[in-house]
Amino acid sequence: MAGRERSRMVAAEGDHKVTPAELFFDLVFVYAITQVTALMAAAPSPGRVLAAMTVLALLWWCWCCFAWLGNVVRADAGALFAVLVTVMTVVFVVSLVVPEVFADAPGGLPAPLVFVLCYGAVRLLHLISYWISSPGDTALHATLRRTALLSVGPPLALLLVGCAYDGTPRLLMWLGAVAIDYGGIYLTGASGWRVNSPGHFAERHGLIVIIALGESIVAMGVGVAHFPLTGAVIGACAAGILLAAGLWALYFRRFGEPAEHRLGALDGDERTRFARDVYTFLHLPLVAGVVLCALGMKKVLTQVADTGHYDLADSLHGTVAWALTGGVGVFLLGAAAITRRSTGRRPVALLVGGVCGLAAGPLVELVPALAALALLAAAVLALVVALGRRTASGAAGAAGPEESPAA
């Protein structure tokens, strides 16, 4: 009986919380996100950024698959833990080849093919595990069949075909695969999928945002590796930490909590659709924005530390100049979309901030790199304070004169 208990899937309850097994599972994605930044940093260009975002979108799908599964099946009990360890191994192999998926190095296995085969293995493991988890759920099984036909089979075939080409043709085919994959999930609908524990689901996605922010800090450390510590380096590190703290505060103090409350207030297919839109789709821009910003932060720290090749008056240029503020812009636009979907309000400050971040690349080239990072951190922190005051005044107005503390 003990053997049967270990081999079956164990259902998660409605008050399910994130388990240590899921935190362990996330560790491999720390490295995966770091490798996406490395893919861009090796040869920064608009095409390389687009290629990196394509890879990130595929990796994001691998993570999301098991975030959904872990909400209905316990990751720390039964057979799912063995599946997670297997997926960790496969994703780690994927991460190893990420820097070479669009510029395969000579020798060894073909990196693009290894990436695609491992990605396909993760998607198939997810579908099989989901099928086994609910043997009598006909609605879920019908949805899984539609998912395999629309969102797994065609994209995987296109990814495999893309491996036979180099450069732009491969990138276009892989972009097409991502579009089909995401569109297929949307077309399969909400029927069959379930979100048993809103708290667990929101916490899982909050943790992946923290992982992305952690990668931005790691990127700064990599940027100053093998260079002497100076006062300017310390100042740049402080500015980078403040920028990461500002993005953290925006998520966890401003728009993450309303999204979780809205998720908990819904049920059935409405809850599933909201989870798909806000967490599966709209959290990707948050992670992508942090990864883009990490590229800019890494280059700032490198220029500040490498006094033999750069002066403190030197600025960022080209793609990395845009990435520094553009990443924050992508993050803010994702936050605006989440706020709109969660509350129905139009988040003007987030929208304006996002557009300004996307357009500020040319301005970054006009000021020293360290000053650009410090000004960006100050702007994000100012936005956090402004949104906090607006929230507080809105809450006081909603309370009315009889309920307000002043009364």
Side-chain angles (χ1 to χ4, degrees), residues 49-386:
V49 168
L50 184 58
M53 293 299 100
T54 302
V55 170
L56 179 64
L58 294 169
L59 291 171
W60 173 254
W61 220 234
C62 293
W63 183 86
C64 285
C65 286
F66 288 90
W68 279 83
L69 181 58
N71 192 260
V72 296
V73 180
R74 291 194 64 90
D76 59 349
L80 185 56
F81 181 70
V83 174
L84 291 183
V85 173
T86 303
V87 172
M88 287 179 68
T89 305
V90 175
V91 172
F92 187 77
V93 173
V94 167
S95 304
L96 290 174
V97 301
V98 161
E100 299 180 19
V101 290
F102 289 99
D104 195 10
L109 298 173
L113 184 60
V114 171
F115 181 93
V116 172
L117 292 178
C118 289
Y119 172 77
V122 172
R123 296 299 302 273
L124 290 174
L125 280 171
H126 168 254
L127 292 177
I128 293 170
S129 300
Y130 237 124
W131 188 285
I132 296 173
S133 70
S134 302
D137 193 335
T138 56
L140 174 61
H141 288 184
T143 300
L144 291 174
R145 284 192 293 268
R146 291 196 301 271
T147 300
L149 291 173
L150 294 174
S151 185
V152 177
L156 187 57
L158 196 54
L159 290 171
L160 285 170
V161 173
C163 293
Y165 297 86
D166 293 319
T168 302
R170 178 184 298 164
L171 175 57
L172 292 176
M173 289 184 186
W174 284 23
L175 276 172
V178 170
I180 294 171
D181 199 347
Y182 280 61
I185 287 295
Y186 191 85
L187 292 175
T188 56
S191 178
W193 304 116
R194 298 187 307 278
V195 178
N196 284 353
S197 173
H200 170 273
F201 201 77
E203 186 179 1
R204 289 292 287 127
H205 288 78
L207 289 171
I208 200 66
V209 171
I210 289 179
I211 285 174
L213 291 171
E215 195 282 327
S216 69
I217 295 173
V218 171
M220 289 195 299
V222 172
V224 299
H226 311 301
F227 293 111
L229 183 65
T230 64
V233 169
I234 293 175
C237 291
I241 293 294
L242 288 175
L243 175 56
L247 296 178
W248 178 92
L250 282 173
Y251 183 86
F252 288 97
R253 298 287 178 83
R254 299 296 175 256
F255 65 89
E257 188 174 343
E260 181 179 354
H261 290 165
R262 179 62 176 164
L263 179 66
L266 299 171
D267 54 23
D269 288 351
E270 284 297 320
R271 174 185 287 182
T272 301
R273 278 190 286 270
F274 183 86
R276 178 199 62 196
D277 296 346
V278 167
Y279 290 96
T280 300
F281 288 163
L282 293 179
H283 270 60
L284 176 56
L286 304 183
V287 176
V290 173
V291 172
L292 287 169
C293 188
L295 172 63
M297 294 165 69
K298 179 179 180 179
K299 292 299 182 179
V300 169
L301 267 293
T302 298
Q303 288 193 189
V304 170
D306 188 1
T307 56
H309 295 87
Y310 299 97
D311 188 85
L312 284 180
D314 290 342
S315 60
L316 296 178
H317 293 284
T319 300
V320 292
W322 173 84
L324 181 64
T325 59
V328 173
V330 172
F331 183 96
L332 294 179
L333 291 178
I338 290 172
T339 301
R340 178 69 172 177
R341 183 71 169 84
S342 302
T343 65
R345 297 195 303 268
R346 183 162 44 187
V348 176
L350 291 174
L351 288 170
V352 172
V355 171
C356 289
L358 289 176
L363 298 178
V364 174
E365 298 187 13
L366 300 178
V367 298
L370 177 54
L373 179 59
L375 289 171
L376 181 60
V380 171
L381 291 173
L383 180 60
V384 173
V385 173

